[in-house]
């Protein structure tokens, strides 16, 4: 915790701060691109894939270029494949820049769900409906830090029973005041 009363934890794309009145999600472009490359190299679909539309288009163009290269004359699909790859990586960068900073008012948070390693903040959207912001903690320790930070802010946690960072005192204690 910092002097301003903010808890934070690391995610695969940046840092999340749980402040007294809001949740601040800060994503970094370089880290996001590295995580996408690692995910693809290990054969997994990157978590940022659900937020990146142009990367999917770029990947499809790249696949088309590879298909042209294999079926057509040598060299015909190289330019198309290179254009597709450039579009895919540019899509990741643009998406990361657009989503570089997100702020969610704490009073709008309905609950925080822990699903398959992700932390999903369910909050009210601007139109009054429910919106979800998915966060991927970098490690089990960061996941525990997230559970503790949200619990100490009084947010309803769902699926965090195995989070070791949430002590029984913090979970079960009634609302108390800080004695100075």
């Amino acid at each position: 915790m910092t002097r301003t009363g903010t808890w934070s934890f690391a995610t695969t794309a940046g840092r999340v701060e749980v402040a007294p009145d809001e949740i601040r999600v800060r994503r970094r472009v370089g880290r996001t691109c590295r995580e996408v490359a690692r995910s693809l190299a290990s054969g997994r679909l990157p978590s940022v894939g659900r937020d990146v539309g142009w990367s999917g288009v770029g990947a499809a163009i790249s696949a088309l270029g590879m298909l042209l290269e294999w079926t057509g004359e040598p060299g015909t699909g190289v330019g198309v494949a290179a254009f597709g790859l450039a579009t895919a990586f540019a899509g990741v960068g643009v998406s990361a820049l657009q989503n570089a900073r997100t702020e969610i008012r704490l009073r709008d948070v309905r609950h925080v769900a822990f699903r398959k390693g992700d932390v999903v903040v369910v909050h009210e959207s601007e139109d009054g409906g429910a919106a979800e912001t998915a966060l991927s903690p970098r490690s089990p320790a960061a996941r525990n830090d997230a559970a503790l930070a949200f619990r100490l802010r009084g947010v309803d946690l769902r699926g965090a029973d195995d989070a070791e960072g949430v002590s029984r005192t913090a979970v079960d204690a009634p609302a108390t005041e800080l004695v100075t």
Side-chain angles (χ1 to χ4, degrees):
M1 184 166 98
T2 64
R3 290 183 184 176
T4 60
T6 302
W7 287 281
S8 66
F9 59 94
T11 66
T12 56
R15 193 139 198 86
V16 175
E17 297 174 347
V18 183
D21 57 347
E22 67 185 358
I23 300 168
R24 299 180 200 120
V25 181
R26 296 189 173 139
R27 294 177 177 91
R28 295 189 175 114
V29 177
R31 186 174 287 169
T32 302
C33 289
R34 280 193 302 273
E35 287 300 320
V36 167
R38 285 183 190 144
S39 295
L40 292 174
S42 65
R44 293 181 289 123
L45 188 63
S47 61
V48 76
R50 62 181 165 258
D51 301 327
V52 181
W54 285 106
S55 291
V57 171
I61 293 171
S62 180
L64 175 67
M66 299 275 283
L67 183 65
L68 285 173
E69 185 65 28
W70 286 334
T71 60
E73 294 179 27
T76 56
V78 173
V80 175
F83 175 74
L85 287 174
T87 304
F89 282 110
V92 170
V94 167
S95 177
L97 285 174
Q98 287 175 340
N99 299 322
R101 185 177 171 129
T102 304
E103 295 174 352
I104 304 166
R105 293 183 306 196
L106 211 50
R107 66 176 180 230
D108 291 342
V109 176
R110 295 181 179 175
H111 67 272
V112 174
F114 287 73
R115 301 182 201 147
K116 298 180 183 176
D118 284 347
V119 177
V120 181
V121 179
V122 179
H123 56 94
E124 290 185 28
S125 63
E126 293 180 9
D127 61 359
E132 292 185 351
T133 301
L135 310 167
S136 299
R138 290 190 73 160
S139 64
R143 183 179 184 273
N144 291 338
D145 291 346
L148 183 60
F150 288 122
R151 173 59 74 189
L152 292 175
R153 287 286 173 229
V155 175
D156 178 30
L157 296 183
R158 298 183 184 173
D161 300 332
D162 63 337
E164 296 173 9
V166 181
S167 69
R168 298 307 305 165
T169 304
V171 172
D172 297 330
T176 60
E177 292 181 24
L178 178 63
V179 179
T180 57

